Amino acid sequence: MNEQSADANYQGVWGNRIGFGKKAALLMIDFMQGYTTEGAPLFAPGVVTAVAQSVELLATARQHGIAVVHTNIRYHPGHFVDGGIWVKKAPVMKDMVEGNPLAAFCAEVLPLAEEVVITKQYASAFFGSSLAPMLHAQGIDTVVLAGCSTSGCIRATAVDAVQHGFRTIVVRECVGDRHPAPHEANLFDIDSKYGDVVSKQEAMRKFREQ
């Protein structure tokens, strides 16, 4: 008996398209230099590509008046208690302290002075932050995700986004991970159950129509 492919197994059960709503925001998730600096513990080749691909996406969002929110991660450098159990599970995250060059934003996608930066301690941009009420207050019903990593903060943010009532869009070319297997597996899961995975060209077209 031949085992079904994942696509065949999910067909007709998962994978409904949700699409864009009336007003979108672009969330630039954790594009920090630790993920793009070769030799750094967090280095992820897929993120290097994602940053390069996101330059045009970010420029298009800004050009068409789409709200842009950036996130980063910061911990207390002395004891890391604000990282709780996650930092114990993933001590590699201890690089994310103020003053460490690895915790700085990637130069290609730096936030503008008027763009909000949400500082978080856990994977989801929504967990323990003001992101959801801030977006709801602006009438935003759709969040478009770029950033890293696909299997970590992108997935966690996508799951929380739909649970907070947002249409969730992930831009395929603009997210990355350290290995293609978890990257592709998590894109499959997100596209099946939590949001739509779309091409950069489609996302930019939608920005122009907003």
Side-chain angles (χ1 to χ4, degrees):
M1 180 176 167
N2 292 329
E3 186 175 344
Q4 281 185 310
S5 69
D7 286 334
N9 182 268
Y10 274 47
Q11 189 172 11
V13 180
W14 299 105
N16 185 49
R17 309 308 287 170
I18 192 67
F20 279 66
K22 295 179 180 178
K23 188 175 182 182
L26 173 61
L27 307 187
M28 300 285 285
I29 306 294
D30 298 350
F31 268 148
M32 294 174 290
Q33 294 181 32
Y35 294 97
T36 59
T37 301
E38 198 161 356
L42 282 168
F43 176 65
V47 179
V48 176
T49 302
V51 169
Q53 289 284 345
S54 295
V55 172
E56 186 181 16
L57 181 76
L58 178 58
T60 302
R62 287 168 171 167
Q63 182 181 356
H64 293 276
I66 302 298
V68 177
V69 180
H70 304 257
T71 73
N72 61 10
I73 299 171
R74 288 291 186 276
Y75 298 112
H76 189 288
H79 46 61
F80 301 95
V81 295
D82 46 348
I85 299 301
W86 192 32
V87 171
K88 296 181 186 299
K89 174 67 176 176
V92 66
M93 299 306 297
K94 289 183 177 182
D95 281 338
M96 298 297 107
V97 296
E98 195 63 37
N100 187 337
L102 297 178
F105 282 112
C106 296
E108 303 95 319
V109 289
L110 284 175
L112 298 179
E114 63 269 24
E115 291 171 350
V116 172
V117 175
I118 297 285
T119 295
K120 61 192 182 70
Q121 286 75 44
Y122 290 88
S124 169
F126 290 95
F127 182 79
S129 83
S130 61
L131 180 58
M134 181 183 73
L135 297 177
H136 284 309
Q138 297 174 70
I140 289 165
D141 62 1
T142 303
V143 291
V144 179
L145 307 188
C148 61
S149 64
T150 317
S151 60
C153 297
I154 294 297
R155 183 192 176 111
T157 299
V159 172
D160 274 1
V162 72
Q163 292 174 158
H164 278 286
F166 295 102
R167 294 171 182 263
T168 304
I169 309 294
V170 174
V171 185
R172 176 176 287 277
E173 298 95 327
C174 298
V175 296
D177 216 310
R178 62 187 297 125
H179 191 279
H183 170 74
E184 291 296 337
N186 281 275
L187 286 179
F188 179 87
D189 284 349
I190 292 167
D191 195 53
S192 297
K193 298 179 179 179
Y194 308 115
D196 295 351
V197 176
V198 307
S199 70
K200 184 174 77 169
Q201 291 302 318
E202 181 177 351
M204 292 192 301
R205 178 175 61 82
K206 290 291 190 179
F207 286 167
R208 297 183 188 107
E209 294 173 356
Q210 289 277 304

